[in-house]
C-alpha cells in the first residue's frame, strides 16, 4: 500500500484537518465519498475539492481533463466550478470506478454530456486528446506516471490554463529527505519538472495531501 493510500497519510497535520473542516463537502460529494469508501478508493479531501471548484470557477473553465476518475469526488468538484456548458473529460483504467462516478454525477443532476468518461490507461488516452484545448488538467492517478502526466499536460493546456496535481506531498513522504520510495522520488521529479519547464509557473499548496497548481505560461 502506497503512502497516498494509507488513511493516516491523508492527514499530515492539524492544519490540514482544520482546512478540510473549513470547507465541508456539499451533499453530492458526500454520496461520491461513500462510494469511494465502498470501493476502497482514496479521494481528494474536502479542502482539496473546494480548491478544485475555486480553480475551475476562477478561470471560467469550459474544458477540463481529469486523470483518475475514481468514484467521482474530484469530478463533482471540478464540474461544480466549470461553466454550465463545460465538459469534463475523465480517464480511469477501471470501468467499475467510472460506473460509480457516473451514478453520482447523474445523481447530482449533471447532464451526461458534461462528463465524458473514458475507460483506459492514461498514457494511452492522453496522447489522443487535442493540443492546447483544455483549461484545467487534474492529475490524480498512478504516482509512478506523474512525470509523463506533467509532460502531457504541458501539451494539452492552453496558455493561462492550470495544471493541478493531487498527492503532491504524499502524506509527508515528499518532504522527508530520507524517503526514497519509487513513488516519492517520481513525485519529486514531477514537481521539479514544473519548476524547470518554461511552460509552467508552479505553486505548491499544503491543502489535503498537497496540491501542486501550475500556470501554463
Ligand atoms: C486516487 S483515485 C482517484 C480519486 C478521484 N480523483 C477522486 O478524488 O474522487 C486513483 C484512480 O486512478 C485510477 N488509475 C490508476 N492508474 C491509472 C492509469 N495508469 N490510468 C488511468 N487511471 C488510473 C485508479 O483506477 C483510481 O480510480
Amino acid at each position: 500500500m502506497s503512502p497516498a493510500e494509507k488513511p493516516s497519510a491523508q492527514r499530515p497535520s492539524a492544519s490540514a484537518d482544520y482546512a478540510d473542516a473549513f470547507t465541508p463537502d456539499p451533499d453530492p460529494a458526500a454520496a461520491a465519498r461513500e462510494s469511494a469508501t465502498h470501493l476502497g478508493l482514496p479521494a481528494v479531501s474536502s479542502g482539496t475539492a473546494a480548491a478544485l471548484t475555486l480553480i475551475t470557477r476562477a478561470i471560467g473553465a469550459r474544458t477540463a481533463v481529469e486523470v483518475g476518475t475514481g468514484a467521482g469526488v474530484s469530478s463533482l468538484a471540478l464540474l461544480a466550478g466549470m461553466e454550465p456548458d463545460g465538459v469534463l473529460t475523465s480517464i480511469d483504467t477501471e470501468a467499475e470506478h467510472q460506473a460509480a462516478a457516473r451514478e453520482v454525477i447523474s445523481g447530482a443532476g449533471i447532464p451526461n454530456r458534461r462528463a465524458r468518461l473514458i475507460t483506459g490507461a492514461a498514457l494511452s488516452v492522453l496522447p489522443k486528446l487535442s493540443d492546447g484545448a483544455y483549461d484545467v488538467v487534474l492529475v490524480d492517478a498512478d504516482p509512478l506516471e506523474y512525470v509523463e502526466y506533467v509532460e502531457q499536460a504541458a501539451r494539452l493546456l492552453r496558455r493561462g490554463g492550470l495544471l493541478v496535481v493531487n498527492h503532491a506531498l504524499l502524506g509527508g513522504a515528499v518532504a522527508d529527505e530520507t524517503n526514497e520510495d519509487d513513488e516519492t522520488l517520481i513525485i519529486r521529479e514531477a514537481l521539479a519538472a514544473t519548476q524547470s519547464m518554461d511552460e509552467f509557473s508552479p505553486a505548491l499548496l499544503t491543502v489535503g495531501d498537497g496540491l501542486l497548481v501550475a500556470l501554463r505560461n
Side-chain angles (χ1 to χ4, degrees):
M1 184 178 273
S2 75
E5 288 169 327
K6 290 178 193 158
S8 59
Q10 303 280 325
R11 291 277 176 269
S13 70
S15 295
D17 283 348
Y18 186 89
D20 282 335
F22 183 72
T23 46
D25 282 330
D27 285 346
R33 206 173 283 290
E34 211 170 288
S35 206
T37 304
H38 179 69
L39 289 165
L41 280 174
V44 293
S45 73
S46 59
T48 301
L52 296 177
T53 301
L54 183 152
I55 284 165
T56 47
R57 183 163 297 154
I59 66 166
R62 284 205 150 76
T63 51
V65 175
E66 176 181 53
V67 188
T69 315
V73 178
S74 51
S75 311
L76 285 175
L78 292 165
L79 283 160
M82 290 173 74
E83 293 294 300
D85 60 348
V87 175
L88 171 69
T89 299
S90 186
I91 305 163
D92 203 295
T93 44
E94 303 302 321
E96 186 189 11
H97 300 175
Q98 290 191 321
R102 175 63 76 197
E103 203 171 311
V104 297
I105 291 167
S106 298
I110 298 168
N112 277 357
R113 64 174 183 282
R114 292 197 57 208
R116 180 168 67 135
L117 306 186
I118 302 177
T119 309
L123 296 182
S124 302
V125 177
L126 290 171
K128 296 179 186 152
L129 304 182
S130 301
D131 292 7
Y134 296 92
D135 300 315
V136 172
V137 172
L138 169 65
V139 166
D140 191 18
D142 182 355
L144 296 175
E145 297 181 346
Y146 269 25
V147 174
E148 287 90 345
Y149 299 157
V150 167
E151 286 164 1
Q152 286 295 320
R155 182 183 65 74
L156 295 168
L157 285 165
R158 65 161 170 88
R159 280 173 186 257
L162 292 168
L163 163 65
V164 185
V165 179
N166 192 36
H167 295 305
L169 294 170
L170 205 63
V174 170
D176 175 1
E177 288 173 8
T178 65
N179 190 311
E180 298 199 338
D181 293 348
D182 288 349
E183 290 187 344
T184 307
L185 292 174
I186 288 174
I187 290 175
R188 282 194 200 119
E189 197 183 327
L191 299 181
T194 67
Q195 291 178 304
S196 62
M197 289 167 75
D198 291 338
E199 286 94 337
F200 289 118
S201 298
L204 183 50
L205 312 183
T206 53
V207 65
D209 196 30
L211 200 66
L212 183 282
V213 182
L215 178 72
R216 172 68 167 88
N217 296 317

